[in-house]
Amino acid sequence: MADEQRETTVALPGDVYERLGGDDEAVAETLKTLAADHAELQRSIAQFTDEGGDPPMGEGQAATMAALADFGPPVGQLLGFELEDAEPGRAVLSLQPGPEHANPMGTLHGGVLCDLGDAAMGYAYGSTLGPDESFTTLELDVKFLRPVWDQPLTATATITHDGRTVGLVECDVTGPDDELVASLESVCMTLRDEDADGR
């Protein structure tokens, strides 16, 4: 992967453009930021895969964990996700919900719960990629099993099928007593060459 930031061109659907207020300058700045974030994610994944193989173990694994925790996706930083554990093909994230995460009924918003599981699955899948690879989610399924107010949550994601191009990742989100709060499944596709570059 080249060190320089690649320029990414993205076409927005008309309805999304309208929801962003139709401001060309604001939309362009938003897309530029998203492209930079994507490039940084690709560079970070490359750092965490030991030249395309498994992430290093022992002291190297501790360094990998520290780097992952420091990077984190911007949305995870916004919502307060914490990386608790990671190894090739597996990741554990946590969240301490607060009033800012609530829906109008006062319980944890389903989108936040879904995002926690999605982020954990992204970490798990991303940990297996080579330095010139990226990925995208083809399908995301979530089943909400019980309401949550302010209980701490843990999302444990594991790759259950690792094909050359398409992989399957599953995630259980549990509460403090290991009760199952939500079950998620994600189909991810590995991107290579120009597809991974975002061009």
Side-chain angles (χ1 to χ4, degrees):
M1 181 183 302
D3 289 336
E4 69 272 9
Q5 179 178 324
R6 300 182 187 279
E7 190 168 325
T8 301
T9 303
V10 180
L12 285 176
D15 61 331
V16 175
Y17 181 82
E18 290 173 8
R19 287 200 302 270
L20 290 174
D23 184 337
D24 289 336
E25 190 172 320
V27 170
E29 188 61 33
T30 298
L31 292 176
K32 181 179 177 183
T33 300
L34 290 173
D37 287 344
H38 177 73
E40 179 63 24
L41 176 59
Q42 288 179 294
R43 283 191 293 272
S44 298
I45 288 172
Q47 293 172 4
F48 309 143
T49 53
D50 193 25
E51 299 301 324
D54 291 339
M57 304 302 285
E59 292 181 8
Q61 187 178 33
T64 294
M65 285 287 298
L68 275 167
D70 286 344
F71 173 67
V75 68
Q77 296 174 12
L78 175 67
L79 295 175
F81 300 163
E82 297 286 342
L83 180 65
E84 302 293 342
D85 191 19
E87 59 189 72
R90 180 179 177 275
V92 181
L93 270 63
S94 66
L95 170 67
Q96 174 57 65
E100 68 275 18
H101 299 113
N103 62 28
M105 283 69 72
T107 57
L108 177 66
H109 193 285
V112 176
L113 189 56
C114 184
D115 214 355
L116 174 64
D118 184 48
M121 291 187 291
Y123 270 117
Y125 197 81
S127 71
T128 66
L129 300 180
D132 295 319
E133 296 177 332
S134 182
F135 76 97
T136 188
T137 300
L138 297 178
E139 185 176 329
L140 177 64
D141 178 72
V142 57
K143 295 175 177 65
F144 302 108
L145 303 174
R146 64 181 69 217
V148 174
W149 282 266
D150 57 3
Q151 301 97 318
L153 299 173
T154 301
T156 304
T158 306
I159 294 179
T160 57
H161 172 74
D162 190 14
R164 183 178 184 278
T165 301
V166 176
L168 183 65
V169 192
E170 294 180 354
C171 179
D172 285 342
V173 180
T174 56
D177 297 321
D178 290 330
E179 68 274 17
L180 190 60
V181 171
S183 177
L184 299 92
E185 186 175 81
S186 178
V187 179
C188 297
M189 181 173 70
T190 300
L191 303 176
R192 299 180 178 89
D193 303 321
E194 290 187 358
D195 291 333
D197 293 336
R199 291 181 292 186

